[in-house]
Amino acid sequence: MTAVADSRPVGIIGGTGLTSLSDLTIVGEENASNRWGEASSTLVHGVLGEQKVIFLARHGNPHRIPPHEVNYRANIQALYDAGVRTLVGVNAVGGIHRDMGPAHVVIPDQLIDYTWGRASTFFEGELEQVTHIDFTWPYDNEGRELLIGSATKAGVPFSGFGVYGATQGPRLETAAEIRRMERDGCDIVGMTGMPEAVLAAELGMRYVSLGLVVNWAAGKSDHIITMAEIEEAIEQGMSGVKQILERSMAGLGRLSYLPQPA
Ligand code: HPA
């Protein structure tokens, strides 16, 4: 029997290629709905690396909800209500930067939001005051450092910095869109990083992202993007992602809680 620190659970939102965590010792499961609607999947309570964890499958389990139809508010609220204050979002991404090819792991430090029409704030409707949260640093730095340390120890090829460009999907981008994103400074491109990151910030959670590159972004290779190459990169890279998660959990669980934003 392993000792489990009596701390708050760390949240993990699994994306494409990570609808369940095989290394998680499951201790319970609950349906989750709240005033924003129903979460994408059940909340799976478990233990990973001796740390209490709550896992949620962003696209449902089995994978059925496309990125633009994920109820990000219901998901983040459900994890918050279950006690999560530190959250890791696992994201499949396309690689734009030349060093970030398939199966590479990226721990981004910045993002640019190109999504549109998504419910992307908790602060709307009948409010007593208007709230503008600070979002200068969208990813929690202490959390990032822990992921970076774990990736180094695990020997997984990774980049500890990167700008995540969040696109609307579900289609992939044109080559010109990727060239524009590159000029903007984006290193990776994905469809789920926003509004997840900002909603977590609005509730005062620490949020970090673990991006697994599953294809070269449009126009960055000599071929079009195929599901076969994406599946191959997931197969190749997801065990590294899981190792980083397992090694980071205890440290993430020990991080202090951020004060609730005003
Ligand atoms: N673009 C957007 N989202 C993605 C990609 C991509 O190339 N690969 C995986 N998610």
Side-chain angles (χ1 to χ4, degrees), residues 16 92-95 164-165 167 171-173 178 189-192 212 214-218 225 230:
T16 301
V93 296
Y164 179 112
T167 56
R171 67 166 176 84
L172 295 160
E173 298 70 36
I178 292 296
V189 52
M191 300 175 192
T192 52
L212 174 64
V214 296
N215 57 277
W216 283 113
I225 301 162
I230 290 179

Side-chain angles (χ1 to χ4, degrees), residues 91-111:
N91 307 93
V93 296
I96 299 176
H97 191 287
R98 66 141 89 98
D99 295 339
M100 302 181 189
H104 195 72
V105 169
V106 184
I107 299 158
D109 63 320
Q110 274 297 331
L111 65 80

Side-chain angles (χ1 to χ4, degrees), residues 67-68 72 111-120 164-169 180-181 190-196 198:
H68 64 295
Y72 294 94
L111 65 80
I112 299 179
D113 188 9
Y114 301 89
T115 65
W116 48 269
R118 299 185 180 189
S120 55
Y164 179 112
T167 56
Q168 177 67 1
R180 181 183 76 159
M181 291 179 77
M191 300 175 192
T192 52
M194 282 292 281
E196 201 169 272
V198 72

